[in-house]
Amino acid sequence: MRITSIFRIGACVVLALGLFSCATPKQPPLPVGDLKLGVAYFTQPAQPADLLAGYMPKDVPRIDEKVLNEMDALLAEVLAKDSQNSFASRQSALHCSKELPEQTTRHQAALRKWCAVGRCMGVDILLVPQLQEWHEREGKEYGAAVPAKVVMDIFVLDVRAESLISRSRYDETQSALTTNLLDTGKFLHRGGKWVQARDLAREGMEKAVKELGL
């Protein structure tokens, strides 16, 4: 009986690991060719007009500017490590956002605004990352009272056609093994500990690189 139980637990762990590894299949590479790529900076949508897709969550706290800046640096690090493409930097996007006429940034929908930024940057394809929710872990890595949570979108825009090409969404709250056995693979992949929001964000960015074929 004991051997059978151990076998069943082992089988469940293997299954969970398999499900986790298959959760983010690698897509064909983005057809770059001679196209110029750029990456914008992280923002948190404050109103529906700021969204490129999806909906506004209710009663979400504002994310500190320091966190957004840290996510910019982390995305640049992930792209440098995992992508074979080169991107015009967020600094160029920041400069172009300041150069745009006020009516472009305040009274135009998000798609037109970001495509205007992309044209100013001189790129054909623009990555636009948005961070909707950010909750840091409360507690220690082996005993968290409240787990970390990250809700993040990374969009790929065709600047020339002013269109949305693709989107990678990451909505993750770390759960305990006792809550959902299917999360066993994720928990073990994270070292069997409660991770910080930054760790989840990196996971979401790595997922995006694979999903979007970057």
Side-chain angles (χ1 to χ4, degrees), residues 183-198:
D183 280 342
T184 300
K186 291 182 180 181
F187 204 88
L188 296 179
H189 177 76
R190 295 165 183 159
K193 60 186 179 181
W194 296 95
V195 298
Q196 297 181 347
R198 176 185 173 87

Side-chain angles (χ1 to χ4, degrees), residues 24-27 75 78-79 82 127 152-156 166-170 201-214:
T24 56
K26 186 173 182 179
Q27 298 299 313
L75 179 56
V78 170
L79 288 174
D82 295 344
L127 302 188
M152 174 175 60
D153 285 303
I154 296 182
F155 300 94
V156 180
S166 53
R167 168 198 189 191
S168 177
R169 183 166 179 81
Y170 183 79
R202 176 185 287 276
E203 194 175 276
M205 293 172 188
E206 292 172 348
K207 168 180 175 287
V209 170
K210 292 181 180 179
E211 282 189 345
L212 301 173
L214 299 176

